[in-house]
Amino acid sequence: MIRLPEPCGPLSEGVVRALRARPDGPHAVAEPRAMGDVEYPLTDRDFQLALWMLYELHYGGFEDVPPEVEWDPLLIVSRAALERTLEHAVRRLVGPVSVPDGDITRALVKLTTASGPSEVARFLHRRATRAEFCSYLRERAVYHLRESDPQSFVLPRISGAAKTALAELQNDEYGAGEPSRQHQLLFAQALTSLGMTTDLTSYVEEAEGATLASVNVMSLFALNRRLRGAAMGHLAAFEATSSIPCDRILRGARRLRLPEEVAAYYDEHVEADAIHEQLAIRGICARLAEDEPDLTDDIMLGALACLAVDGLAGDVLLQGWQADRAERTSREAG
Amino acid sequence: MKRRVSVVECPGGPLLVRGADEVVSADGSVAAVERSVVAVCRCGRSDRLPWCDDSHKDRAKRKKKRAQES
């Protein structure tokens, strides 16, 4: 179990206060007034941190927070209010969703092939310093230390061939019968090899709002049954845009002569995600759309949301690195 | 129980193979299958043959291949 992160504004303070309240007393609901101040939810760290903590209750939970709090009705009310704002922001960012002829396989292949090379992966491949590479790992730790966990919540919510394909994909993510091959553990080993902590809270406390948003969107889709189509579309887009970037990041790790554990994590994902892409698009999404045609647009929404929100998180990182470099240059010149 | 081996075609992409023990390439080299399902490259552009590495989607590689062929 992990410790509660330090809050960074009125919403996350409200959640921390509520989580630390006596288990038998009523829990405070995050103030709706503070919610009104959230102008850009997708990059608002306070907003995303508040929601991240409420979601974490459904994953590993926190030290010193009683387990019953997971289903505290008042906290569920708070979570739902934050989720509505997040969902609205995601839908606005994505814009109108359409699947020509209802052919979800073709739409997903086209979307993920046209998405172009990841600028972040290109930067890590050719230009990043060791410090910049490590700062990338710190941001990504928020997801990778919990890699694939959100999608596991979807298993009981789908059926038939789509369920079998999701189970097959998740089995690979969780080490295919070999605990030491779990992708989350491979990432933790990469962090350890660089002398970095594996304490998730430390990374959450430093993460950008958009990074937290990219993880919260997965929980939003996976923890709301009505959004199960979006959860699977998100997974498909994630996997289908992962192999080539992972190959570039792997080359970046080798260029910087980082420990083999770092390379091993990305090396595994080049091959695994090329398989997972096919499983997710053809095995899961196509079959899900066949079984439940009403979910077709939601599958596409999830895929578009993945590319848009992860793209936003990537832009924030690139801008940060550029700003840091500019500052260093001007300091050295001055 | 008899083990089932299956091959699934992914148009424009690899073959998904389940239940195989090894993939033998044209030059005779043998790649052991170490996953329950593997993606076998069909376009020949992969840097990790016989496995798919998504190079069929890499625009730069597609261009290079076309240039080599013409």
Side-chain angles (χ1 to χ4, degrees), chain A residues 112-114 116-117 168 172 240 243-244 247 250-251 267-268 270-272 274-275 277-279 282, chain B residues 9-11 13-14 16 18 35-39 47-48 51-59 62:
Chain A
T112 54
T113 306
E168 189 176 38
D172 213 34
S243 268
I244 295 173
D247 186 55
L250 165 67
R251 288 165 201 261
D267 189 47
E268 159 69 10
V270 176
E271 225 175 272
I275 303 166
E277 163 181 356
Q278 304 301 337
L279 291 177
R282 294 164 207 282
Chain B
E9 204 182 335
C10 306
L16 282 187
R18 292 181 178 85
R35 300 170 179 277
S36 55
V37 50
V38 290
D47 287 330
R48 298 165 174 252
W51 315 125
C52 170
D53 70 352
D54 237 5
S55 288
H56 55 272
K57 290 201 299 202
D58 192 311
R59 274 182 266 189
R62 269 203 306 234

Side-chain angles (χ1 to χ4, degrees), chain A residues 120-141 187 190-191 193-194 196 245-259 261-266 317 321 325:
Chain A
V120 171
R122 236 201 324 230
F123 180 81
L124 294 168
H125 177 192
R126 301 255 187 224
R127 296 182 55 206
T129 61
R130 186 187 171 103
E132 286 163 339
F133 197 107
C134 289
S135 76
Y136 173 75
L137 296 180
R138 276 198 293 277
E139 287 292 317
R140 295 304 302 154
F187 192 79
L191 294 176
S193 75
L194 287 161
M196 294 161 69
C246 282
D247 186 55
R248 286 180 181 238
I249 299 171
L250 165 67
R251 288 165 201 261
R254 295 234 161 100
R255 171 178 60 81
L256 291 165
R257 297 176 205 279
L258 299 182
E261 286 88 342
V262 181
Y265 175 84
Y266 289 99
L317 291 187
W321 290 323
R325 283 185 173 206

Side-chain angles (χ1 to χ4, degrees), chain A residues 258-324:
Chain A
L258 299 182
E260 196 42 44
E261 286 88 342
V262 181
Y265 175 84
Y266 289 99
D267 189 47
E268 159 69 10
H269 283 76
V270 176
E271 225 175 272
D273 291 353
I275 303 166
H276 296 173
E277 163 181 356
Q278 304 301 337
L279 291 177
I281 294 181
R282 294 164 207 282
I284 303 171
C285 291
R287 302 309 288 273
L288 184 60
E290 222 171 85
D291 292 347
E292 300 188 79
D294 290 351
L295 295 184
T296 306
D297 282 357
D298 277 1
I299 295 173
M300 198 61 189
L301 166 73
L304 290 161
C306 173
L307 299 187
V309 176
D310 289 5
L312 187 70
D315 290 346
V316 169
L317 291 187
L318 283 169
Q319 282 158 16
W321 290 323
Q322 273 154 14
D324 288 349

Side-chain angles (χ1 to χ4, degrees), chain A residues 136-205:
Chain A
Y136 173 75
L137 296 180
R138 276 198 293 277
E139 287 292 317
R140 295 304 302 154
V142 175
Y143 175 62
H144 291 316
L145 289 173
R146 285 288 158 77
E147 191 165 326
S148 303
D149 284 347
Q151 293 77 24
S152 292
F153 283 115
V154 183
L155 269 169
R157 297 173 172 181
I158 59 178
S159 57
K163 182 182 217 150
T164 305
L166 176 58
E168 189 176 38
L169 195 161
Q170 294 296 86
N171 181 47
D172 213 34
E173 295 282 349
Y174 291 133
E178 182 56 62
S180 66
R181 294 294 304 163
Q182 283 183 32
H183 288 181
Q184 321 184 328
L185 288 182
L186 295 182
F187 192 79
Q189 283 161 7
L191 294 176
T192 305
S193 75
L194 287 161
M196 294 161 69
T197 178
T198 56
D199 169 41
L200 177 57
T201 302
S202 313
Y203 296 111
V204 167
E205 284 173 334

Side-chain angles (χ1 to χ4, degrees), chain A residues 68-140:
Chain A
E68 296 78 16
V69 166
E70 179 185 1
W71 293 107
D72 183 286
L74 291 174
L75 285 173
I76 298 292
V77 168
S78 303
R79 198 190 95 185
L82 296 169
E83 283 183 307
R84 268 193 298 279
T85 302
L86 176 62
E87 186 178 343
H88 182 72
V90 169
R91 286 184 186 273
R92 247 180 63 176
L93 181 71
V94 164
V97 174
S98 80
V99 179
D101 306 319
D103 187 343
I104 191 66
T105 305
R106 211 173 63 192
L108 288 173
V109 169
K110 200 171 154 197
L111 174 73
T112 54
T113 306
S115 72
S118 149
E119 289 299 322
V120 171
R122 236 201 324 230
F123 180 81
L124 294 168
H125 177 192
R126 301 255 187 224
R127 296 182 55 206
T129 61
R130 186 187 171 103
E132 286 163 339
F133 197 107
C134 289
S135 76
Y136 173 75
L137 296 180
R138 276 198 293 277
E139 287 292 317
R140 295 304 302 154

